[in-house]
Amino acid sequence: MNKTIITSITLILTVCVLCIAGCTTAPAGTDSLDVVLADTPVPEISYNDTPVQYHEVNGVKLGYREFGVDNNEPLLMLIGFGKTMDHWNTTFIGILSENYHVYVYDHRGMGESTDADGQFTIAQLADDAAGLITALGYDSMNTYGVSMGSSVSLELLCDHPEKVRKAVLSSATYSANIPETKILHVLLLENAEGENVNTGVRKEAVANLEWDGCYDNLSGIANDVMLITGTADIITPQSVAVDIAGQINGSWLVRFKKIPHAGSSYAPEEYGRITTTFLEINESPV
């Protein structure tokens, strides 16, 4: 039976008072974990002051920025649908950069990254992520994916598991074509078929709609995985994260009360601290 850890988060100080992030009660027999927000300044980062660098990967040029300490604990950030690397919340990235060498990048056809002719796929985007990890000089990295970035991360876990140390999947789904994600499906159709839609956004929409998903492969994922979901997410509802967590043996599941889709933009400190906690814990048997 899969051991899904439903993490109960106790957030102190004003966070509890304002109820911006909440908890799911851990059922009997599961582990709980308290995350305390450190009363320390968050490192400031600036996209404008951080130069874009480039690597040739799979026939395209991927633009990226890097932040944080110069050590061998890298963290690759996979952004969501229609967004570029500068859309990551700076407080969130600042927290992660306290202990990790953080890389943010643009998917092919978006922002600073170039594209090739023809339609790309989610599997191609996963190949790009694997290729970028290699190009940056690493055998593997920790990864954090949000929304479409989580879909790319799931494909990466299935196609290139050796490239992933630990994976965080935020606002995840295993398909955009299931009943639970009907709002997402409509949004993607509008961007795939609408007029005056950016070419890169249109291709991302098509790639998501054509992705068959990877539900049948979830049980084969052996990497350490944490899913983060918000109870107010109507784009990729929490029930989908629960389903995915139930399929990945030993995965973590963290739910934030009243947080909508892509919650790191709404509760960056809480998302940053729980991500750091997950990445730092040694889950090897004693």
Side-chain angles (χ1 to χ4, degrees), residues 220-240:
I221 295 175
N223 309 68
D224 292 332
V225 174
M226 177 172 71
L227 290 111
I228 309 179
T229 183
T231 62
D233 188 346
I234 62 173
I235 307 296
T236 52
Q238 61 171 320
S239 60
V240 181

Side-chain angles (χ1 to χ4, degrees), residues 4 9 19 27 36 42-43 46 62 97 103 117 141 145 181-182 191 194 213 227 229 236-237 244 256 284:
T4 300
I9 302 175
C19 295
V36 178
V42 175
S46 168
L62 298 181
S97 70
Y103 295 89
D117 293 335
M141 285 189 180
T181 57
K182 59 184 179 182
N191 282 275
L227 290 111
T229 183
T236 52
I244 295 172
F256 283 90
S284 301

Side-chain angles (χ1 to χ4, degrees), residues 169-207:
L169 308 175
S170 174
S171 299
T173 184
Y174 54 86
S175 173
N177 303 311
I178 56 178
E180 293 88 343
T181 57
K182 59 184 179 182
I183 294 177
L184 172 62
H185 187 84
V186 170
L187 174 66
L188 294 172
L189 278 177
E190 290 174 348
N191 282 275
E193 301 173 353
E195 298 180 0
N196 302 319
V197 177
N198 173 277
T199 301
V201 173
R202 185 189 305 277
K203 287 187 176 183
E204 285 191 345
V206 172

Side-chain angles (χ1 to χ4, degrees), residues 12-196:
I12 62 173
L13 303 177
T14 57
V15 177
C16 275
V17 176
L18 296 176
C19 295
I20 24 182
C23 63
T24 52
T25 303
T30 63
D31 296 330
S32 66
L33 174 67
D34 290 339
V35 177
V36 178
L37 299 186
D39 188 18
T40 56
V42 175
E44 293 186 7
I45 68 161
S46 168
Y47 293 129
N48 291 333
D49 296 337
T50 305
V52 178
Q53 303 178 70
Y54 300 91
H55 269 303
E56 294 283 342
V57 174
N58 299 329
V60 298
K61 184 167 65 175
L62 298 181
Y64 68 95
R65 289 187 171 95
E66 55 184 310
F67 303 93
V69 293
D70 188 13
N71 62 19
N72 200 38
E73 273 302 318
L75 175 59
L76 184 66
M77 309 295 293
L78 294 94
I79 195 65
F81 169 69
K83 305 296 185 181
T84 66
M85 56 181 160
D86 292 353
H87 283 100
W88 288 108
N89 180 280
T90 54
T91 298
F92 177 57
I93 297 298
I95 290 172
L96 297 178
S97 70
E98 288 179 306
N99 297 300
Y100 294 89
H101 198 126
V102 180
Y103 295 89
V104 299
Y105 77 102
D106 289 331
H107 297 296
R108 60 169 63 205
M110 296 294 294
E112 296 289 338
S113 295
T114 63
D115 196 8
D117 293 335
Q119 174 63 45
F120 55 75
T121 65
I122 295 296
Q124 264 185 301
L125 296 182
D127 290 344
D128 288 348
L132 183 58
I133 290 171
T134 300
L136 290 169
Y138 297 94
D139 293 329
S140 62
M141 285 189 180
N142 299 297
T143 63
Y144 185 107
V146 60
S147 193
M148 185 194 78
S150 285
S151 300
V152 177
S153 296
L154 279 173
E155 196 68 40
L156 183 66
L157 285 165
C158 291
D159 296 347
H160 306 279
E162 75 286 351
K163 290 294 185 183
V164 182
R165 300 181 187 181
K166 287 189 172 186
V168 181
L169 308 175
S170 174
S171 299
T173 184
Y174 54 86
S175 173
N177 303 311
I178 56 178
E180 293 88 343
T181 57
K182 59 184 179 182
I183 294 177
L184 172 62
H185 187 84
V186 170
L187 174 66
L188 294 172
L189 278 177
E190 290 174 348
N191 282 275
E193 301 173 353
E195 298 180 0
N196 302 319

